[in-house]
Amino acid sequence: MQSLPDALVHAVTELLDDRPCFVEVSGGCDSSLVLAAAVRACRSAGHAPPIAVTFRYPSAAASEPGWQELIVRHLGVEDWLVVELGSGESDVLGPVATGLLESHGTIFPATTWGRAAAFARVGEGLLLSGEGGDEVLGSRRTTEAFAAARSLRHGRVPARGDLVRAVRDVLPRRLRSGAVRRHVRSGFQPLWLDHERVDVVLEHLADEVLATPLSPARFMDHHLETVRLGVALTNVRACAGLFGLQWEAPLLSSTFAAAVSATPWHHFTGRNDLLDRYFSEWLPHELVWRRSKAGFHEVYFGPHTRAFAAEWDGSGAPEGVRADWLKEHWTTAPMVFSSTGMLLQHLWLQHAGAPPARPAASTAQDRGDMSLETTP
């Protein structure tokens, strides 16, 4: 079985051809990993070096030039395209997004149309993303238990909360169901829905958590087969395709997934530990162990979102949706819930008098990889 670095290089190599190879570089670990793999893959396969692409926004929270420059210099990448996007240009109700809304309808995730403004500025070719790194390289159900066992072995007694999570995560579904449902309810409340629908949503989310396999070897198959991920990847690929780009996420490829599945379970002790163990020769130490993370909420839910919300009179909301709560949230909340994005776009279409979008297919495979999964 290939090592994680070799598998990632292989996953990128499988995608290369004579077109330019662009790599999204945000300054985070995931995009940096993909850029490092692309540098090695292009060199080994005899292709032109990859072109780093950075999308920068007026928001300081979403643009981290220091980290971006660090990884580009570290890898010796000479061709670096920096795309400056203006205020509201990538808003889910921005000019590019609303044009696509009118022609294609709402989409999951709603931020897909927000990304179109960036895609339009790249040019044709292959565009690689670090999408999926949080889930693929992050913790597993065994992580807390292993950490607790390691602490005890070194004579340290874990905090009570850590022990509770460690035990809860490794119990069979029947025994951990109640604890998981309580945890989900304490961590997420879709307050824009009425109580009955909130219960339905939270039960569904709890069922998703409970379905996660205990075995890290089975986790990747389970994760890659989820409907949410499949539809999201299909839609982002299709959106990029409108601008002549083949968008791919090597960290979510079957090649890399196989290597992740074969990784010993006790190596999933935390994302930073895993990166340090397998990719320390690729990435600067300070990048591997950085604690900050870029945020893009204000990029996708910016001035156009706020302006529409201020004008919206609360009409047209689907049954069970609390229009008064949504209006207040969209106009005043420092951080908009991304889960409300499709509602936002749905209501904008109604307000704009646009024709209804075509109905969605039952699965992402019904119309092929380059079709859009829209909502009626």
Side-chain angles (χ1 to χ4, degrees), residues 91 189 191-192 296-303 305-307 309-310 324-340 344:
D91 196 307
Q189 283 292 324
L191 299 174
W192 55 93
F296 293 87
H297 289 83
E298 61 271 48
V299 168
Y300 295 122
F301 301 95
T305 289
R306 306 292 187 179
D324 55 341
W325 189 95
L326 274 181
K327 182 175 177 68
E328 176 73 13
H329 176 68
W330 286 336
T331 53
T332 65
M335 184 178 295
V336 171
F337 278 112
S338 59
S339 302
T340 65
L344 182 70

Side-chain angles (χ1 to χ4, degrees), residues 257-305:
V260 172
S261 296
T263 301
W265 68 273
H266 56 277
H267 287 184
F268 290 97
T269 55
R271 196 159 173 271
N272 302 103
D273 286 332
L274 191 74
L275 289 172
D276 193 43
R277 179 187 293 271
Y278 287 101
F279 295 101
S280 59
E281 294 183 5
W282 284 20
L283 304 179
H285 178 81
E286 58 267 42
L287 181 64
V288 170
W289 290 99
R290 62 173 293 193
R291 297 298 182 184
S292 62
K293 188 174 180 64
F296 293 87
H297 289 83
E298 61 271 48
V299 168
Y300 295 122
F301 301 95
H304 298 287
T305 289

Side-chain angles (χ1 to χ4, degrees), residues 5 16 33 57 71 83 131 196 217-218 223 271 274 283 287 300 306-307 328 364:
L16 296 176
L33 273 184
Y57 308 88
I71 189 60
V83 178
E131 195 83 28
E196 181 180 344
R218 293 176 50 214
H223 179 59
R271 196 159 173 271
L274 191 74
L283 304 179
L287 181 64
Y300 295 122
R306 306 292 187 179
E328 176 73 13

Side-chain angles (χ1 to χ4, degrees), residues 52-352:
V53 179
T54 295
F55 303 121
R56 287 188 181 163
Y57 308 88
S59 164
S63 297
E64 300 182 305
W67 292 109
Q68 296 155 6
E69 291 165 6
L70 173 66
I71 189 60
V72 168
R73 286 199 313 270
H74 181 80
L75 296 174
V77 175
E78 297 181 357
D79 204 346
W80 185 15
L81 172 64
V82 177
V83 178
E84 301 282 352
L85 292 153
S87 178
E89 200 170 346
S90 293
D91 196 307
V92 297
L93 292 183
V96 177
T98 50
L100 291 167
L101 268 175
E102 290 180 318
S103 58
H104 294 287
T106 54
I107 194 170
F108 175 81
T111 53
T112 302
W113 289 153
R115 299 174 76 167
F119 291 155
R121 306 272 290 277
V122 175
E124 297 187 355
L126 173 68
L127 178 61
L128 304 181
S129 168
E131 195 83 28
D134 287 344
E135 296 79 15
V136 172
L137 302 172
S139 300
R140 301 292 190 262
R141 280 179 56 192
T142 53
T143 298
E144 293 280 1
F146 183 80
R150 184 170 55 182
S151 294
L152 291 170
R153 188 167 63 249
H154 288 87
R156 299 189 301 270
V157 178
R160 183 177 182 278
D162 293 338
L163 281 174
V164 169
R165 285 191 296 274
V167 173
R168 179 197 67 200
D169 289 349
V170 298
L171 287 173
R173 176 170 181 151
R174 177 176 57 83
L175 297 179
R176 66 191 182 100
S177 176
V180 166
R181 295 185 193 283
R182 288 191 296 274
H183 177 71
V184 167
R185 286 182 175 274
S186 67
F188 176 65
Q189 283 292 324
L191 299 174
W192 55 93
L193 301 176
D194 63 23
H195 293 302
E196 181 180 344
R197 287 166 178 79
V198 166
D199 286 341
V200 171
V201 169
L202 293 180
E203 284 297 299
H204 178 71
L205 290 176
D207 287 341
E208 284 190 350
V209 174
L210 289 167
T212 304
L214 176 62
S215 166
R218 293 176 50 214
F219 172 83
M220 284 301 296
D221 286 342
H222 169 80
H223 179 59
L224 295 179
E225 289 171 0
T226 57
V227 173
R228 179 188 292 119
L229 179 64
V231 172
L233 293 179
T234 294
N235 285 340
V236 177
R237 287 191 184 106
C239 178
L242 296 174
F243 303 96
L245 287 167
Q246 179 187 345
W247 181 92
E248 298 292 345
L251 293 175
L252 293 170
S253 67
S254 58
T255 298
F256 191 63
V260 172
S261 296
T263 301
W265 68 273
H266 56 277
H267 287 184
F268 290 97
T269 55
R271 196 159 173 271
N272 302 103
D273 286 332
L274 191 74
L275 289 172
D276 193 43
R277 179 187 293 271
Y278 287 101
F279 295 101
S280 59
E281 294 183 5
W282 284 20
L283 304 179
H285 178 81
E286 58 267 42
L287 181 64
V288 170
W289 290 99
R290 62 173 293 193
R291 297 298 182 184
S292 62
K293 188 174 180 64
F296 293 87
H297 289 83
E298 61 271 48
V299 168
Y300 295 122
F301 301 95
H304 298 287
T305 289
R306 306 292 187 179
F308 169 75
E311 295 177 1
W312 178 49
D313 62 5
S315 63
E319 183 181 355
V321 171
R322 298 172 56 194
D324 55 341
W325 189 95
L326 274 181
K327 182 175 177 68
E328 176 73 13
H329 176 68
W330 286 336
T331 53
T332 65
M335 184 178 295
V336 171
F337 278 112
S338 59
S339 302
T340 65
M342 290 184 69
L343 270 172
L344 182 70
Q345 292 178 336
H346 167 76
L347 292 167
W348 182 91
L349 279 173
Q350 288 194 331
H351 180 78

